[in-house]
Amino acid sequence: MRKPIIAGNWKMNKTPAEAVEFVSALKEKVGSVTEREIVVCPVFNALVPVSGVIKGTSIKLGAQNVYWEDSGAFTGEVSVSMLKASGCEFVIIGHSERRLYFHETDRTVNKKIKKSLEAGGLTPIVCVGERLEERENNTTFKVVETQVKEGLSGLKPDDMNKLVIAYEPVWAIGTGRTATPEQAEEVHAFIRKTLSGIAGEDVSNEMRILYGGSMKPENISGLMKCENIDGGLVGGAALKVDSFVKLINYE
Ligand code: PEP
């Protein structure tokens, strides 16, 4: 049984004070929900204060990025151990905005995943997804397969079930244009088949594959009814307590 994850990717939004205000309200409403795994991913400088507020609740903390070295002359970067020391249990890796604006590649995604798993205790949420022109060229499956295979290259089957995949069609992110449940399920099923080819069916059946791309309270139920959709990585609709709570409490 795969426990659904509802993860909020706040991107570059909310000061530490605003983030604390958000999670203070959130924990009153869903702080004891256990049937769904709830994750919030604030900006780096809000991690420690948010971690203090959610301590002892079922809300978990994630970061939006990580670097693969332990420490040293890497201005602007943050390591796995630093994230863990800030209370993080999850980290988003390879978000399409990082691929697009910060030139992340499957190779750097792979290094980040390996480092997160090696140190243990930090679950990567690995983002994959095709751009609009790739969908229109009918190369969605090829693109996603390459991202999954190269991103996860060299991982031991034992490590595979410690990570989460997020299928985020780039054309649906922040655009209000959601993939239909059929479109999303088709790719999720394909991703699970690809994972099965890498790590075997038992492991791939345990792995959670989230959908991301304009998920909101109005469309989550249809998406979550699909066999291979195990939760959501949510941007815009995770920024307001009310809509995030509705997403967590979807039926
Ligand atoms: C995201 O950035 O991961 C995302 C899915 O954003 P949105 O929900 O706003 O489309």
Side-chain angles (χ1 to χ4, degrees):
M1 190 54 188
R2 300 186 293 261
K3 186 172 184 172
I5 301 180
I6 305 294
N9 171 16
W10 293 354
K11 312 193 185 194
M12 200 173 72
N13 292 294
K14 299 192 190 295
T15 62
E18 289 163 346
V20 161
E21 191 185 334
F22 182 102
V23 285
S24 303
L26 186 69
K27 78 172 179 182
E28 294 307 318
K29 297 181 191 238
V30 294
S32 49
V33 169
T34 51
E35 329 61 271
R36 280 150 201 188
E37 211 157 350
I38 305 165
V39 184
V40 290
C41 304
V43 294
F44 287 137
N45 67 337
L47 291 172
V48 171
V50 165
S51 156
V53 178
I54 61 180
K55 209 176 168 125
T57 73
S58 57
I59 303 166
K60 295 181 174 163
L61 190 61
Q64 298 174 21
N65 187 24
V66 67
Y67 196 57
W68 58 81
E69 295 289 348
D70 291 320
S71 61
F74 304 103
T75 302
E77 296 296 330
V78 64
S79 73
V80 170
S81 57
M82 290 164 188
L83 293 182
K84 282 169 60 182
S86 306
C88 288
E89 293 179 60
F90 288 82
V91 59
I92 299 171
I93 296 181
H95 190 279
S96 61
E97 286 149 17
R98 295 219 53 90
R99 292 178 191 255
L100 179 65
Y101 303 130
F102 305 101
H103 315 295
E104 294 212 6
T105 61
D106 293 331
R107 204 183 125 263
T108 60
V109 165
N110 183 249
K111 288 174 135 200
K112 291 178 179 195
I113 296 171
K114 281 186 173 151
K115 189 69 197 182
S116 302
L117 292 171
E118 177 195 304
L122 203 54
T123 300
I125 301 177
V126 182
C127 301
V128 299
E130 82 286 3
R131 289 178 284 127
L132 182 60
E133 59 269 35
E134 293 165 336
R135 177 155 282 264
E136 287 173 347
N137 290 339
N138 295 318
T139 51
T140 297
F141 294 119
K142 188 76 225 129
V143 167
V144 169
E145 182 179 27
T146 303
Q147 289 171 337
V148 170
K149 285 192 172 160
E150 296 197 358
L152 308 189
S153 151
L155 293 191
K156 299 184 216 88
D158 275 2
D159 279 340
M160 291 274 295
N161 59 1
K162 298 190 190 112
L163 54 87
V164 173
I165 306 286
Y167 168 58
E168 301 208 301
V170 180
W171 48 271
I173 296 181
T175 59
R177 196 179 152 190
T178 323
T180 62
E182 294 73 23
Q183 284 174 320
E185 172 61 16
E186 190 184 26
V187 183
H188 279 239
F190 174 78
I191 292 174
R192 199 172 304 285
K193 201 169 118 233
T194 307
L195 295 172
S196 168
I198 302 172
E201 207 175 324
D202 289 350
V203 171
S204 79
N205 280 338
E206 279 172 34
M207 293 179 68
R208 287 171 297 177
I209 307 173
L210 314 184
Y211 169 79
S214 300
M215 193 181 234
K216 28 186 191 266
E218 302 81 64
N219 59 30
I220 188 168
S221 298
L223 289 157
M224 289 306 298
K225 286 196 177 78
C226 300
E227 191 186 330
N228 288 290
I229 301 186
D230 308 310
L233 179 58
V234 188
L239 288 172
K240 292 254 162 48
V241 175
D242 278 359
S243 60
F244 195 49
V245 167
K246 282 187 188 145
L247 286 165
I248 293 161
N249 291 329
Y250 75 87
E251 284 178 15

